Amino acid sequence: AGLQKVDQVSAPIKTSYGYALVKLLEERKAQVLPFAQVENQIKATLAQQQAAQLFATEADKLTNLTYANPRTLEVASKALNLPIETSTLFSRQGSTTGLTAHPQVISAAFSDEVLKKGNNSDLLTLDQNTVLVLRVNQHLPAAELPFVNVEKAIQTELTNKKAQELAAQA
């Protein structure tokens, strides 16, 4: 609006809402804070930026190493000094806690590329600080469990249902 003095009013300005007038109410000069006052904030910001850059670089290395060596995680593990962790067996439903609670982990684990072809997964981002590549260690086809293995769980489920029905009636 080109206003130079306090209390100066602009000419009418056409906007998408109609016409507007702008009035300069106050002028504030830019203020430079002393370095000592902002030093810790600057250091924290720089450290965070460096950590994010390092994380991105290492994630790229992980992607490249696991893609170049699709049948093993050992090469990437040794090159990047990362542990290889093994989960317990899990189904397509995953679990409520841990890595298998993440839908993208379940999807990758049961993908054709990983499950049928035996390759490493693509890089999976679980949150801003967690990425992983997975591969199948062991796969057991879906099968019905013997009754003796599920009898107690069935009894518990039926008891709970009956208790809920009786509670609802009461």
Side-chain angles (χ1 to χ4, degrees):
L3 303 176
Q4 302 293 325
K5 299 177 187 173
V6 174
D7 291 330
Q8 185 178 358
V9 179
S10 71
I13 301 169
K14 186 173 182 172
T15 69
S16 58
Y17 299 104
Y19 287 92
L21 298 174
V22 178
K23 181 178 181 179
L24 180 60
L25 299 176
E26 180 182 0
E27 183 178 0
R28 296 182 188 168
K29 300 292 180 191
Q31 192 176 32
V32 178
L33 297 174
F35 179 71
Q37 192 174 345
V38 294
E39 180 179 11
N40 288 339
Q41 182 181 3
I42 291 170
K43 285 180 180 179
T45 300
L46 288 175
Q48 184 178 12
Q49 289 172 349
Q50 289 173 339
Q53 181 61 45
L54 179 61
F55 185 81
T57 300
E58 294 298 300
D60 286 345
K61 287 179 187 176
L62 179 61
T63 298
N64 294 335
L65 287 167
T66 55
Y67 181 79
N69 303 282
R71 303 260 182 212
T72 182
L73 297 174
E74 290 291 333
V75 174
S77 173
K78 288 178 182 170
L80 301 174
N81 195 27
L82 295 172
I84 296 176
E85 297 179 13
T86 304
S87 72
T88 58
L89 291 172
F90 57 91
S91 70
R92 290 180 187 267
Q93 285 70 44
S95 64
T96 56
T97 61
L99 292 177
T100 57
H102 296 274
Q104 64 268 40
V105 170
I106 301 304
S107 178
F110 288 95
S111 69
D112 285 348
E113 192 67 28
V114 174
L115 185 61
K116 292 183 180 173
K117 294 181 182 177
N119 291 325
N120 296 329
S121 72
D122 291 334
L123 186 76
L124 306 175
T125 302
L126 303 185
D127 59 46
Q128 70 179 27
N129 298 318
T130 310
V131 296
L132 69 92
V133 173
L134 64 85
R135 66 175 293 97
V136 172
N137 182 36
Q138 178 184 14
H139 175 250
L140 300 176
E144 287 187 23
L145 296 172
F147 181 71
V148 70
N149 291 10
V150 294
E151 181 178 12
K152 189 159 185 87
I154 292 171
Q155 287 175 343
T156 302
E157 180 70 22
L158 291 175
T159 302
N160 288 341
K161 282 186 179 181
K162 188 64 173 176
Q164 288 175 351
E165 288 174 12
L166 293 174
Q169 291 174 1

